[in-house]
Amino acid sequence: NAGVTQTPKFQVLKTGQSMTLQCAQDMNHEYMSWYRQDPGMGLRLIHYSVGAGITDQGEVPNGYNVSRSTTEDFPLRLLSAAPSQTSVYFCASTLGPGANTEAFFGQGTRLTVV
Amino acid sequence: RKEVEQDPGPFNVPEGATVAFNCTYSNSASQSFFWYRQDCRKEPKLLMSVYSSGNEDGRFTAQLNRASQYISLLIRDSKLSDSATYLCALRGLIWGLGTSLAVNP
């Protein structure tokens, strides 16, 4: 049971480049989310999804797109990377927004935009 | 007011000390609570769930106070390896900023 698999672990981008962070879970969780974590800021929600075909914006969505074509996958796209997007990104999943269950995290992606 | 608030610390304690963190929440209807541990820039990992009656796991004790709307985490006999950031979470969806703990020799 792999849990939440997130790739890549590290990435360096040039300003203006685009890329996709991959996230997959094999627990049949309905709810998936993307966070960014910066020093002293805690986990900030970028986008989330409550099921296949349904996505919504979180606290800091600008500059990012998501899609949820399957229950398992929830990729995060950076459209045109900016230095302000240098951060550590975490994907997480949980059984459902109304369920009283824990969240599981991917290992994180450390992104540097130069 | 943020839905979840934590004292960010840092807490600096000597080995063997007892330390406690609190996490206050604003939604009185909140049902499930968790404590997570996060090592430097790694993913948060579940430390323990918080049950209404309180629960203990070795040196760690979690408590819920619904009347005052906070949860607590008590660590007894602190070890160097307990140095980390401790995050509280509601329903696995709402996160505190985390409390930083440094246990010193």
Short mmCIF file of all heavy atoms in Angstrom, two decimals, chain B residues 3 5 12 15 42-43 45-46 55-57 67 80 82 85-86 99:
data_model
loop_
_atom_site.label_atom_id
_atom_site.label_comp_id
_atom_site.label_asym_id
_atom_site.label_seq_id
_atom_site.Cartn_x
_atom_site.Cartn_y
_atom_site.Cartn_z
N GLU B 3 -9.41 29.58 12.38
CA GLU B 3 -10.19 28.48 12.91
C GLU B 3 -9.38 27.65 13.91
O GLU B 3 -9.95 27.05 14.83
CB GLU B 3 -10.68 27.60 11.76
CG GLU B 3 -11.77 26.64 12.17
CD GLU B 3 -12.52 26.06 10.98
OE1 GLU B 3 -12.33 26.53 9.85
OE2 GLU B 3 -13.31 25.13 11.22
N GLU B 5 -5.67 27.85 16.22
CA GLU B 5 -4.53 28.67 16.61
C GLU B 5 -3.61 27.89 17.53
O GLU B 5 -4.05 27.18 18.43
CB GLU B 5 -5.00 29.96 17.29
CG GLU B 5 -5.84 30.83 16.37
CD GLU B 5 -5.78 32.30 16.72
OE1 GLU B 5 -4.69 32.83 16.90
OE2 GLU B 5 -6.86 32.91 16.80
N ASN B 12 12.02 25.57 23.99
CA ASN B 12 13.34 24.97 24.21
C ASN B 12 13.33 24.34 25.59
O ASN B 12 13.15 25.03 26.58
CB ASN B 12 14.45 26.03 24.14
CG ASN B 12 14.73 26.45 22.72
OD1 ASN B 12 15.37 25.72 21.96
ND2 ASN B 12 14.24 27.61 22.34
N GLU B 15 16.46 17.79 28.01
CA GLU B 15 16.09 16.38 28.01
C GLU B 15 15.46 15.99 29.33
O GLU B 15 15.91 16.43 30.39
CB GLU B 15 17.35 15.51 27.83
CG GLU B 15 17.57 15.00 26.45
CD GLU B 15 18.75 14.04 26.39
OE1 GLU B 15 19.86 14.44 26.75
OE2 GLU B 15 18.51 12.90 25.98
N LYS B 42 10.00 17.94 6.10
CA LYS B 42 9.45 16.67 5.65
C LYS B 42 7.93 16.73 5.79
O LYS B 42 7.38 17.69 6.33
CB LYS B 42 10.03 15.51 6.45
CG LYS B 42 11.52 15.31 6.19
CD LYS B 42 11.96 13.96 6.69
CE LYS B 42 13.39 13.68 6.24
NZ LYS B 42 13.84 12.36 6.71
N GLU B 43 7.25 15.70 5.29
CA GLU B 43 5.81 15.71 5.37
C GLU B 43 5.32 15.51 6.79
O GLU B 43 5.96 14.78 7.57
CB GLU B 43 5.21 14.64 4.43
CG GLU B 43 5.28 13.21 4.93
CD GLU B 43 6.55 12.52 4.55
OE1 GLU B 43 7.58 13.21 4.33
OE2 GLU B 43 6.52 11.27 4.49
N LYS B 45 3.36 13.84 9.73
CA LYS B 45 2.93 12.46 9.96
C LYS B 45 2.10 12.41 11.22
O LYS B 45 2.38 13.11 12.20
CB LYS B 45 4.15 11.54 10.09
CG LYS B 45 4.92 11.38 8.79
CD LYS B 45 6.03 10.36 8.90
CE LYS B 45 6.72 10.20 7.55
NZ LYS B 45 7.86 9.27 7.62
N LEU B 46 1.08 11.59 11.18
CA LEU B 46 0.17 11.49 12.31
C LEU B 46 0.90 11.02 13.56
O LEU B 46 1.58 9.99 13.55
CB LEU B 46 -0.96 10.52 11.99
CG LEU B 46 -2.00 10.35 13.10
CD1 LEU B 46 -2.80 11.64 13.28
CD2 LEU B 46 -2.93 9.19 12.80
N ASN B 55 -6.39 10.45 25.60
CA ASN B 55 -5.72 9.21 25.26
C ASN B 55 -4.21 9.38 25.41
O ASN B 55 -3.68 10.48 25.35
CB ASN B 55 -6.09 8.72 23.85
CG ASN B 55 -6.03 9.80 22.79
OD1 ASN B 55 -6.71 10.82 22.88
ND2 ASN B 55 -5.20 9.58 21.79
N GLU B 56 -3.59 8.25 25.61
CA GLU B 56 -2.17 8.22 25.92
C GLU B 56 -1.47 7.22 25.02
O GLU B 56 -2.04 6.16 24.71
CB GLU B 56 -2.00 7.81 27.39
CG GLU B 56 -0.61 7.99 27.97
CD GLU B 56 -0.59 7.73 29.47
OE1 GLU B 56 -1.33 8.42 30.21
OE2 GLU B 56 0.15 6.83 29.89
N ASP B 57 -0.27 7.57 24.60
CA ASP B 57 0.53 6.65 23.80
C ASP B 57 1.96 6.79 24.29
O ASP B 57 2.68 7.71 23.88
CB ASP B 57 0.41 6.99 22.31
CG ASP B 57 1.18 6.00 21.44
OD1 ASP B 57 1.77 5.04 21.98
OD2 ASP B 57 1.17 6.18 20.22
N ALA B 67 -15.32 22.39 26.45
CA ALA B 67 -15.89 23.59 27.06
C ALA B 67 -15.05 24.83 26.72
O ALA B 67 -15.58 25.90 26.41
CB ALA B 67 -15.97 23.42 28.58
N LEU B 80 15.80 13.85 22.87
CA LEU B 80 16.35 14.68 21.79
C LEU B 80 15.57 14.46 20.50
O LEU B 80 15.35 15.39 19.72
CB LEU B 80 17.83 14.37 21.57
CG LEU B 80 18.77 14.67 22.72
CD1 LEU B 80 20.19 14.24 22.37
CD2 LEU B 80 18.74 16.15 23.08
N ASP B 82 12.55 14.04 20.06
CA ASP B 82 11.24 14.69 20.03
C ASP B 82 11.30 16.06 19.38
O ASP B 82 10.27 16.68 19.12
CB ASP B 82 10.67 14.85 21.45
CG ASP B 82 10.34 13.52 22.11
OD1 ASP B 82 10.06 12.54 21.38
OD2 ASP B 82 10.38 13.45 23.35
N THR B 85 8.39 19.95 14.77
CA THR B 85 7.24 20.84 14.84
C THR B 85 5.99 20.00 15.00
O THR B 85 5.83 18.99 14.32
CB THR B 85 7.15 21.71 13.57
OG1 THR B 85 8.31 22.53 13.48
CG2 THR B 85 5.91 22.60 13.60
N TYR B 86 5.12 20.42 15.89
CA TYR B 86 3.89 19.67 16.18
C TYR B 86 2.70 20.49 15.68
O TYR B 86 2.50 21.63 16.09
CB TYR B 86 3.80 19.38 17.68
CG TYR B 86 4.87 18.41 18.10
CD1 TYR B 86 6.15 18.85 18.41
CD2 TYR B 86 4.62 17.03 18.14
CE1 TYR B 86 7.16 17.96 18.76
CE2 TYR B 86 5.61 16.14 18.49
CZ TYR B 86 6.89 16.60 18.79
OH TYR B 86 7.88 15.71 19.13
N THR B 99 3.79 24.15 16.33
CA THR B 99 4.60 24.58 17.47
C THR B 99 5.95 23.90 17.38
O THR B 99 6.03 22.68 17.27
CB THR B 99 3.92 24.20 18.80
OG1 THR B 99 2.66 24.86 18.89
CG2 THR B 99 4.79 24.59 19.98
#
